[in-house]
Amino acid sequence: MRLILLGAPGAGKGTQAEILSKLMGIPTISTGNILRAAMKNGTPVGLAAKSYVDAGKLVPDEVIIGIIQERLAEPDCANGYILDGVPRTIPQAEAMEKMGIAIDCALSIEVEDEVIVERMAGRRTCKDCSTTFHVVNNPPKVEGICDNCGGELTIRKDDAPETVKARLVTYHRDTEPLKAFYAERGKLKAVENQASVEATTAVIREALGI
């Protein structure tokens, strides 16, 4: 299955991608991770991306899609893949279609803005090993201390309410229109966020028939 995960920042796409990847035996392709890997490995597209990053500019869509195309050509993607974090805009989705990147389903995880702001405010990240916890859903054994390495847990700037609200504005303006884009192609499936990670996985499995 070739799957795109849609949803606001903090909707739980990364968590669900990890679970679905194990369930279906297909890799999760996270744009940020492959961009960093391509730059580190010095691939032609990676070097092109690096020149923009070094100049403090946004990496253009065609370079990002080129890196995704490179990654999807690897053997582990032969039976399918999960795209997390791309496409972010309709021009990116159109560029993917032009490059022949095929998609079976765009799955949108629906979460209300207020819930996202509340959820992100409870996130705590270890400043040493980057493991994330949540004060309600996944609390550390000792408050403020990472279970894995004993490092200090902090609130990332990205998770502060003002930052989250600004990211939600960008999401509604730039990324949410993708729902209509994929609905027109008969590829959109939307699931409502549930009270727990496991319950959300269950409704996703039902929607995908897996």
Side-chain angles (χ1 to χ4, degrees):
M1 183 179 286
R2 296 161 300 186
L3 186 63
I4 287 174
L5 288 184
L6 298 174
K13 298 186 296 298
T15 303
Q16 295 299 334
E18 214 174 293
I19 294 166
L20 292 171
S21 170
K22 285 178 187 148
L23 272 173
M24 296 194 281
I26 56 176
T28 293
I29 313 297
S30 157
T31 325
N33 293 349
I34 59 169
L35 193 56
R36 283 187 287 276
M39 291 194 292
K40 189 179 163 200
N41 297 335
T43 68
V45 196
L47 291 171
K50 193 173 186 307
S51 67
Y52 287 98
V53 172
D54 289 348
K57 294 178 181 168
L58 279 176
V59 181
D61 285 354
E62 60 269 22
V63 176
I64 287 179
I65 306 302
I67 284 175
I68 288 162
Q69 205 170 27
E70 266 183 1
R71 177 66 185 85
L72 297 183
E74 290 179 25
D76 64 337
C77 293
N79 293 325
Y81 43 80
I82 300 165
L83 290 177
D84 175 18
V86 71
R88 282 186 191 276
T89 61
I90 285 179
Q92 279 187 1
E94 289 171 341
M96 282 169 57
E97 282 190 344
K98 277 195 194 116
M99 284 182 160
I101 296 173
I103 293 303
D104 297 317
C105 173
L107 181 83
S108 177
I109 303 173
E110 305 289 327
V111 189
E112 290 171 2
D113 285 6
E114 304 74 49
V115 175
I116 297 244
V117 174
E118 199 176 305
R119 182 185 288 179
M120 301 287 262
R123 256 211 317 216
R124 299 291 181 269
T125 306
C126 175
K127 65 176 195 184
D128 295 331
C129 74
S130 300
T131 302
T132 56
F133 297 87
H134 193 280
V135 292
V136 179
N137 302 332
N138 178 29
K141 292 187 178 81
V142 180
E143 194 179 332
I145 304 291
C146 175
D147 291 357
N148 288 350
C149 74
E152 183 193 345
L153 298 182
T154 58
I155 300 175
R156 281 174 40 207
K157 191 168 162 249
D158 270 4
D159 296 337
E162 315 72 59
T163 315
V164 174
K165 284 173 185 166
R167 288 171 72 200
L168 284 168
V169 169
T170 306
Y171 165 75
H172 291 306
R173 183 188 67 221
D174 298 341
T175 307
E176 199 165 28
L178 284 167
K179 291 188 338 198
F181 178 89
Y182 286 111
E184 278 168 18
R185 286 154 178 73
K187 294 189 173 172
L188 181 76
K189 289 186 192 295
V191 294
E192 291 296 328
N193 176 60
Q194 305 297 310
S196 69
V197 169
E198 296 77 12
T200 303
T201 304
V203 293
I204 288 173
R205 291 187 70 167
E206 193 179 330
L208 297 176
I210 59 166

